[in-house]
Amino acid sequence: QVQLVESGGGLVQPGGSLTLSCAASTSSSSEIRAMGWYRQAPGKQRELVAGISRGLSADYAESVKGRFTISRDNAKNTVTLQMNSVKPDDTAVYYCYALDTYISPQTYWGQGTQVTVSS
């Protein structure tokens, strides 16, 4: 079982920066292969923002590439999204996810944290 707790959301001005963090509470048998972030804006479908594997290979949505950076600490079971040069279109609820492959694949989700980019 995996429980995810997110933090770092809030209001930020265009061009500013924000850091989102997610901490996973896992059993000793958990094998988290990938962690990352999805986001969902009102009236739009949920989209992948960034993901990172246990081997620290990262993938980004084209809309955030060059502005956002994802990192992961395997020992501490944490993942961080550094958001720079934010835009109003980045406004959304951001959801942390973790893919646990112990015994069988299982995806876990955080509760979501609101990011609002506005002047």
Side-chain angles (χ1 to χ4, degrees):
Q1 297 294 322
V2 178
Q3 286 75 234
L4 302 176
V5 179
E6 302 156 331
S7 62
L11 177 65
V12 62
Q13 295 181 340
S17 298
L18 200 67
T19 302
L20 304 183
S21 297
C22 178
S25 178
T26 68
S27 70
S28 60
S29 299
S30 296
E31 296 286 348
I32 299 177
R33 293 294 186 180
M35 299 185 73
W37 298 86
Y38 279 77
R39 69 184 180 187
Q40 188 167 26
K44 297 183 178 181
Q45 64 182 352
R46 185 175 297 185
E47 64 175 349
L48 177 66
V49 179
I52 186 167
S53 70
R54 174 167 286 272
L56 306 185
S57 297
D59 191 29
Y60 299 89
E62 288 297 322
S63 60
V64 308
K65 202 165 188 176
R67 299 188 297 118
F68 293 5
T69 302
I70 190 169
S71 60
R72 175 178 176 176
D73 187 330
N74 291 330
K76 297 182 178 180
N77 291 318
T78 59
V79 63
T80 299
L81 185 68
Q82 178 65 47
M83 306 167 60
N84 296 326
S85 302
V86 296
K87 305 175 180 179
D89 285 348
D90 295 323
T91 296
V93 177
Y94 285 69
Y95 297 91
C96 178
Y97 76 87
L99 176 62
D100 186 6
T101 58
Y102 181 70
I103 300 179
S104 62
Q106 185 71 37
T107 302
Y108 297 87
W109 297 92
Q111 80 284 355
T113 185
Q114 177 71 47
V115 173
T116 302
V117 182
S118 176
S119 298

